[in-house]
Amino acid sequence: MTALFDLTGKTALVTGSARGLGYAYAEGLAAEGAHVILNDIRDTLLTESVDKLRAKGYTAYGVAFDVTKEDAIENAFNQLDEQNIHVDILINNAGIQYRKPMVELELENWQKVIDTNLTSAFLVSRAAAKRMIARNTGGKIINIGSLTSQAARPTVAPYTAAKGGIKMLTCSMAAEWAQFNIQSNAIGPGYILTDMNTALIEDEKFDSWVKSSNPSQRWGRPEELIGTAVFLSSKASDYINGQIIYVDGGWLSVL
């Protein structure tokens, strides 16, 4: 049974992984034997995070590039090619949030959220999939959705549109790439204790709403997403494609 989840010999790229959930995914995959490539646009933070993983005995690399820039992504993958580092697992984790009522929302900020949360997943996945197909090795692509892939809330329209798009982008990847033994799936985290949610966690009214509206009556913890990430990265999910697994404590079940 353990062999089903063993990632030894695999290399995983996790975007937006110098801290937060991205770092948790990377560390979780490394613990199961994967070599991990961290990504961020902040060089110093990226180096510190890579050093932390190496200090734990893991094989880790850092690649700094902007996931919204097509040329930067291609350059990064070309550099990996030159070093004979091949991405077997991709987790499209990079994302941002911007809260504002739609009638006050600026086009610039709408576009920034769409580019970072949705278009980046297309761009990075395309670069990875082209190489997986050329090598004929198959691979795993894991997109990060959200509760808002399924349900909307006020003041987060661009995030909701992007995460809804992630759900269908994942289906499209499966439709085109399953024939090449590439499994494309998504994780839909619920309300998780992360830096991105700090303002919400500290808002007593919102904190109370999260706990009262969720059957688990609490926020999720970053480490509670790792098992799903490992599962979708491993042999155990070889016939699962185009799906989104919600890790939300049951929140969507009781809407």
Side-chain angles (χ1 to χ4, degrees), residues 22-95:
Y23 183 85
Y25 293 133
E27 185 173 18
L29 269 57
E32 296 302 322
H35 297 176
V36 294
I37 306 169
L38 303 190
N39 156 261
D40 206 277
I41 56 175
R42 296 161 293 186
D43 289 318
T44 301
L45 184 60
L46 184 60
T47 299
E48 291 173 355
S49 298
V50 169
D51 289 345
K52 282 171 59 179
L53 290 180
R54 289 177 176 173
K56 295 180 179 181
Y58 301 135
T59 301
Y61 313 95
V63 181
F65 64 88
D66 186 335
V67 296
T68 68
K69 305 297 183 184
E70 185 175 17
D71 289 346
I73 293 165
E74 286 299 323
N75 288 339
F77 272 85
N78 287 337
Q79 289 175 24
L80 293 173
D81 291 341
E82 291 170 3
Q83 299 173 64
N84 203 32
I85 298 173
H86 304 305
V87 174
D88 305 296
I89 302 161
L90 167 64
I91 301 183
N92 287 306
N93 169 77

Side-chain angles (χ1 to χ4, degrees), residues 98 100-112:
Y98 185 77
K100 206 167 194 179
M102 274 195 286
V103 293
E104 301 172 10
L105 182 63
E106 312 87 351
L107 177 59
E108 177 185 2
N109 287 314
W110 165 276
Q111 194 64 58
K112 186 175 182 180

Side-chain angles (χ1 to χ4, degrees), residues 3 10 13 21 41 73 99 123-124 127 219 221 223 239:
K10 301 297 183 181
L13 167 62
L21 291 183
I41 56 175
I73 293 165
R99 299 177 183 278
L123 292 172
V124 182
W219 293 73
R221 298 183 293 271
E223 59 268 25
Y239 200 57

